[in-house]
Each structure stands twice: as C-alpha cells, then as structure tokens.
Amino acid sequence: MTTYILIYCKTLLITVRRGDNMIIYMDPELKRILDETHALAKENHRMLRAIRRDQWLGLAGRIIIWIIILALPLYLYQQYLQPFVSKYVPGATTSGIFGFPTSAELQKLINSYKTGQQ
C-alpha cells in the first residue's frame, strides 16, 4: 500500500512522498529563481577561490622579492666591494660565509678585548 501526502506551501512547492522516495514539483517561476540562485552561488565560489589563489601567489611573490632585496646587497658586496676593501683597508679580510668573521676570528677578538680590560 502506497501513501501519498501532498503539501502545498506558500511558495507553490508540492511534495509527494511515496514510502522512502520524495518527489518535488515546483512552480516554473520558483524553479527559475532557484536555478539562478544556484548559478550565482557557483560563480561566487569560483571568484572566492580565485581571490584566495591570488592572495597566496601575492604572498609568495612578496617573500621572493624581499629575499632578493635583502640578499642582493650581500652578494654584490661579496663579489665586487670585498676585493677593494681588503686591498685598501689593512686587516679587513674575512673568510667566513657572506664575509662574516669565522669563529676563530671572533675568539681572537674576544681574547684581545679581555686582555685590554685588565
């Protein structure tokens, strides 16, 4: 035995229930509005994903630009100015990475400071 329940809402939505199945009949105007709303929601989702993607790419670009801005002067100094500085300024030789003093040079500096304090 199949039971039918008809529900008529203010929005002209009719629902027919047959056991576990539900069949929905809509007014054509209501269906058009629902389809339009669904299309707008899909377009909105697509635009939000594009905005998020652009934000991530912008962040990556800014990080790369700042790395270049901060590393380029160190590289240029090491390549072009360090030979002139070491040539004309006595004792300005540094053998560490990026021209920083090594641990042995730092220890020597600390020892000379300690002897000067006594």
Side-chain angles (χ1 to χ4, degrees):
M1 177 181 232
T2 306
T3 57
Y4 295 97
I5 301 171
L6 295 174
I7 302 171
Y8 185 75
C9 299
K10 291 179 182 178
T11 59
L12 300 175
L13 176 67
I14 301 172
T15 304
V16 178
R17 182 179 286 281
R18 294 183 197 160
D20 291 335
N21 299 329
M22 184 187 295
I23 303 170
I24 299 174
Y25 299 101
M26 280 189 210
D27 179 41
E29 178 66 19
L30 181 62
K31 179 148 177 55
R32 184 189 64 79
I33 292 172
L34 184 63
D35 289 340
E36 183 180 328
T37 304
H38 182 67
L40 287 173
K42 285 177 97 174
E43 182 182 357
N44 186 33
H45 180 68
R46 183 185 54 79
M47 287 190 299
L48 287 175
R49 287 182 58 91
I51 289 170
R52 278 190 235 126
R53 181 179 56 244
D54 289 343
Q55 286 176 338
W56 279 108
L57 291 175
L59 176 66
R62 282 191 304 269
I63 289 173
I64 290 170
I65 286 173
W66 276 107
I67 287 173
I68 290 171
I69 288 172
L70 296 175
L72 187 64
L74 292 173
Y75 173 77
L76 292 176
Y77 173 77
Q78 184 71 23
Q79 291 297 318
Y80 299 108
L81 290 180
Q82 181 63 32
F84 292 116
V85 170
S86 63
K87 183 177 180 181
Y88 293 111
V89 178
T93 58
T94 56
S95 58
I97 188 167
F98 295 120
F100 293 120
T102 61
S103 61
E105 292 171 342
L106 286 175
Q107 189 62 41
K108 188 168 134 183
L109 180 67
I110 291 171
N111 288 339
S112 67
Y113 178 75
K114 284 181 181 177
T115 58
Q117 291 290 325
Q118 296 174 355

